[in-house]
Amino acid sequence: MGPGALAQAQAAGPVALLHDRRLPDEWVERARQALQPSLVLPVRSGEAGKSMQEVTRLLSALAEAGLPRSGAIMGLGGGATTDVAGFVAATYLRGVRYFAAPTTLLSMVDAAVGGKTGVNLPEGKNLVGAFWPAEAVWCDTDTLDTLPVRDFRSGAAEVFKHGLLAAPELLDEVLPSQRSGAGLTQFSQRLPEVVRRAVQVKADIVARDPTEQSERAFLNLGHTLAHALETFTHQRLPHGEAVGYGMHFAALLSEAHGAKNLSGHTHAFLNWQNPEPLPRLSLEALWPIINRDKKADTQGPRWVLLHELGQPYLTRVDRALLDDVFRQWQRDI
């Protein structure tokens, strides 16, 4: 990872390059020069691309072009493109080699790390997917230079989440402080190091629990509510902004369970991130979506909470308490 990393990309055998169709031509061309792909396929941007219809279109294009089992797929783009390209790689010919070149902050520190791939169903986010780790990932921080501020701050939610989970020093790197000035930007001198540290948090957890049998579930901090908000708004709310809202809800729940002084961090993050205002919400309306969360089991949803910074745990929460905290959360946001 770092400036210019995309020029180092390489993959043996025929390669299909799947890229976000809205990606600047410069980055597609750099990937072309590095990989010399035999096939280049644009992917619908954002959550609209995370559909079974788009997956079917891409799989058919690969089959029509005759990409062999010895071939590989490179995903070039943000988190949604990374998810789709990884799932296509996992399912084409029952699995071909996969490589990733994430071009957003969110995809660098989250989607491209750990081998989770996924697409959405009308019933919820990421309900179809596979564990299919990339053989290599190239995080070229130069690609962040032209990222809109809103998109960059959306991706910073995952950096901040990794700070809450295991690296509290990342909180100060993201938020305005003596060290970071106005807060993390595409042009922060320490950005490559911040990306490296955030990736390390996830990589360490995934290495210990690759298929989410235990502690990998902690990486879903804030995501139970976040995914419900994304589904409820028909994916109009960006993932990172939904996670920002979800982390604050998780912090308030954690405090209701006995943790102290966590919501001050998440409220400060929301103020800095300045997410899209939410429509009128009720927990009752969100509850069917929350019940379909991937961490739910036959006894209902489970929530990732924090005893304190760096000490996550998974638990059930009484519905009456959820109602109380939801009202408090609504007042805060």
Side-chain angles (χ1 to χ4, degrees):
M1 61 190 70
L6 186 55
Q8 303 169 31
Q10 55 184 306
V15 178
L17 175 64
L18 276 57
H19 69 88
D20 183 334
R21 65 175 54 196
R22 292 183 183 171
L23 201 63
D25 292 343
E26 172 189 0
W27 300 115
V28 179
E29 185 55 33
R30 288 196 188 186
R32 279 178 178 268
Q33 290 176 8
L35 293 170
Q36 298 296 308
S38 58
L39 180 65
V40 179
L41 294 173
V43 181
R44 289 186 68 188
S45 294
E47 295 295 323
K50 291 183 59 170
S51 68
M52 294 304 297
Q53 292 86 351
E54 185 73 348
V55 167
T56 299
R57 181 185 72 82
L58 295 167
L59 289 170
S60 291
L62 294 172
E64 185 177 349
L67 186 74
R69 192 182 298 274
S70 61
I73 288 172
M74 162 76 92
L76 177 71
T81 301
T82 302
D83 282 350
V84 172
F87 183 65
V88 168
T91 50
Y92 179 69
L93 299 179
R94 297 194 178 95
V96 296
R97 290 173 300 132
Y98 176 55
F99 300 87
T103 61
T104 66
L105 183 59
L106 187 148
S107 58
M108 287 181 186
V109 304
D110 186 43
V113 183
K116 268 190 180 180
T117 71
V119 293
N120 305 330
L121 296 177
E123 292 76 15
K125 185 178 169 74
N126 292 337
L127 293 183
V128 177
F131 290 99
W132 196 252
E135 289 194 11
V137 179
W138 292 276
C139 296
D140 190 334
T141 51
D142 283 342
T143 63
L144 303 177
D145 287 355
T146 57
L147 205 62
V149 171
R150 183 184 179 192
D151 290 352
F152 184 84
R153 292 191 176 188
S154 178
E158 296 289 355
V159 178
F160 200 79
K161 180 200 74 179
H162 292 173
L164 294 172
L165 287 173
E169 70 276 7
L170 286 174
L171 307 184
D172 288 336
E173 296 280 9
V174 172
L175 294 180
S177 67
Q178 252 188 339
R179 172 173 231 177
S180 64
L184 192 67
T185 75
Q186 300 99 305
F187 310 107
S188 297
Q189 188 174 9
R190 290 180 54 79
L191 179 60
E193 174 59 21
V194 171
V195 171
R196 186 203 66 77
R197 184 69 186 97
V199 167
Q200 191 69 59
V201 169
K202 183 168 184 179
D204 287 346
I205 292 173
V206 168
R208 293 190 294 265
D209 181 21
T211 58
E212 201 169 306
Q213 301 304 305
S214 56
E215 67 173 307
R216 184 167 180 167
F218 297 156
L219 291 166
N220 290 297
L221 177 69
H223 284 56
T224 299
L225 181 62
H227 286 167
L229 293 174
E230 289 178 84
T231 301
F232 186 82
T233 61
H234 303 287
Q235 316 302 331
R236 287 192 294 271
L237 182 68
H239 175 70
E241 295 185 7
V243 170
Y245 282 123
M247 286 191 297
H248 187 53
F249 184 70
L252 292 172
L253 269 182
S254 298
E255 290 177 4
H257 266 228
K260 303 296 181 185
N261 302 321
L262 297 177
S263 62
H265 299 290
T266 52
H267 197 258
F269 177 80
L270 276 180
N271 287 337
W272 174 80
Q273 189 187 46
N274 192 27
E276 179 80 14
L278 293 174
R280 291 181 64 87
L281 293 169
S282 69
L283 188 59
E284 195 65 36
L286 295 174
W287 195 248
I289 309 171
I290 291 172
N291 262 325
R292 291 194 291 268
D293 181 76
K294 299 187 298 300
K295 296 180 300 304
D297 58 19
T298 55
Q299 299 179 59
R302 297 178 296 165
W303 302 80
V304 181
L305 302 183
L306 295 163
H307 291 298
E308 58 182 70
L309 292 180
Q311 293 187 15
Y313 65 104
L314 193 63
T315 189
R316 302 184 196 284
V317 179
D318 180 76
R319 177 60 190 271
L321 181 60
L322 284 171
D323 286 333
D324 288 343
V325 172
F326 191 83
R327 286 189 289 269
Q328 182 184 356
W329 173 80
Q330 285 185 304
R331 290 193 296 270
D332 279 358
I333 64 171

